[in-house]
Amino acid sequence: MSQLEFDEQEARQLEGMYEIGDARRRRELARAALAAAPGERILDVGCGPGFYCAELLAEVGESGWVTGVDSSPAMLALAARRCASHDNVELLEGEAVALPVRDEAFDAALTVQVIEYVPDVEKALAELRRALRPGGRVVIWDIDWDTLSVHSEDPKLSERVLRAWDEHLAHRTLPRTLAGRLRAAGFEVVDMTAHAFAALGHAPDSWASALVPFLGRFVAGRAGVSEEEADAWVAEQRRLEEQGDFYFGCIQFCFTARKPR
Ligand SMILES: C[S@@+](CC[C@H](N)C(=O)[O-])C[C@H]1O[C@@H](n2cnc3c(N)ncnc32)[C@H](O)[C@@H]1O
């Protein structure tokens, strides 16, 4: 399994994770930052299974438009199903660094937990800028994975597991440099809000609890973590949940910026 390339089963697993309460909370926060208005044209880069596209369609109404772009055909198939009742949406296979959209076609753009996977951040930001009209808004949401903290009774194994998990990313701590990169890409009014996603005890509706099996599957056989060790780490996290001793926290960052008029 790679976080960047999803087959049908992996795409459906991610879709399931995005149904949980924390994922809904994240979407509410990101959509509030975007503040889409009726009639607007919105671009969602790395739209995944299309939850944002569907929710943004409700916000822009019939006079608005939503374009979702993703590099994964499996994700786009789920997004198409989710948006099937609308005809003011298009879902396009494409790369964040080469968006298949016209210049200045959008009032606002959103990209949630995508740019941290894109090696050439500058190119992705330049593409977002190109796609926006003058004065257009962008919301970029990414995670500082260095803020991820997990309770384990085997801290050495847990540390190795988390280091192996880093391999799923191009940029482990992107939020630290994103404001400067946005300004260098020609955006203005760059702002940032931090959001903690943490879970304690038995927390089945948390992003953290949902992430555990993903993380375990990804790290097995990577960076010296054997399948048995990955399984043991997941089993320990599940046991801690059952005992009420689970702890998992991380900080996610929402950046807002504008293309100059
Ligand atoms: C963690 S998921 C987030 C999905 C969606 N933004 C959400 O929050 O519901 C990352 C998504 O970005 C897509 N992706 C990763 N790298 C990409 C790239 N270079 N260009 C376009 N999409 C990409 C993946 O296929 C996946 O659907």
Side-chain angles (χ1 to χ4, degrees), residues 2 5 11 13 45 67 85 99 121 143 158 178 200 238 251:
S2 151
E5 290 166 25
Q13 281 162 352
V45 176
T67 295
S85 59
L99 294 171
V121 174
I143 300 173
S158 200
L178 194 52
L200 185 68
R238 287 294 176 244
I251 304 179

Side-chain angles (χ1 to χ4, degrees), residues 9-252:
Q9 191 193 355
E10 289 157 359
R12 276 201 307 273
Q13 281 162 352
L14 192 83
E15 182 182 44
M17 180 171 170
Y18 284 167
E19 309 265 13
I20 62 168
D22 259 354
R24 283 198 301 275
R25 174 166 75 95
R26 181 164 94 164
R27 286 200 295 281
E28 278 163 21
L29 291 164
R31 284 189 285 102
L34 192 69
E40 283 195 319
R41 299 176 63 89
I42 310 287
L43 172 65
D44 180 4
V45 176
C47 63
F51 286 98
Y52 285 97
C53 290
E55 290 163 6
L56 287 166
L57 280 164
E59 292 184 0
V60 299
E62 285 176 12
S63 60
W65 181 267
V66 174
T67 295
V69 175
D70 203 286
S71 54
S72 161
M75 288 293 185
L76 289 166
L78 296 175
R81 208 179 307 158
R82 183 152 283 106
C83 298
S85 59
H86 295 269
D87 55 13
N88 53 339
V89 57
E90 63 180 349
L91 298 162
L92 306 173
E93 188 175 338
E95 277 291 324
V97 293
L99 294 171
V101 301
R102 282 184 297 109
D103 293 357
E104 304 191 352
F106 297 93
D107 298 297
L110 169 84
T111 180
V112 177
Q113 211 193 328
V114 177
I115 305 300
E116 63 195 44
Y117 301 121
V118 180
D120 191 345
V121 174
E122 278 62 37
K123 185 74 182 123
L125 297 182
E127 279 295 88
L128 282 166
R129 191 177 188 281
R130 178 184 69 74
L132 287 171
R133 65 160 169 81
R137 318 178 302 283
V138 66
V139 167
I140 303 183
W141 184 296
D142 277 293
I143 300 173
D144 183 338
W145 288 96
D146 206 26
T147 67
L148 182 63
S149 56
V150 180
H151 169 58
S152 168
E153 288 160 5
D154 186 347
K156 283 201 180 127
L157 171 62
S158 200
E159 181 59 26
R160 286 174 50 226
V161 164
L162 295 186
R163 290 294 71 79
W165 174 242
D166 287 343
E167 288 189 7
H168 92 289
L169 292 155
H171 305 280
R172 181 166 171 268
T173 59
L174 180 63
R176 298 180 193 189
T177 55
L178 194 52
R181 291 182 198 241
L182 276 161
R183 283 192 292 268
F187 286 96
E188 61 181 18
V189 205
V190 177
D191 211 343
M192 180 196 89
T193 310
H195 301 283
F197 282 72
L200 185 68
H202 185 61
D205 217 25
S206 68
W207 179 79
S209 178
L211 187 65
V212 165
F214 260 93
L215 210 153
R217 270 197 303 280
F218 181 81
V219 301
R222 285 179 197 262
V225 177
S226 67
E227 294 228 354
E228 293 71 30
E229 286 174 317
D231 288 348
W233 184 84
V234 171
E236 187 209 23
Q237 293 302 316
R238 287 294 176 244
R239 177 174 59 74
L240 290 171
E241 270 208 65
E242 279 157 28
Q243 286 172 206
D245 292 329
F246 180 75
Y247 168 85
F248 206 106
C250 94
I251 304 179
Q252 308 199 6

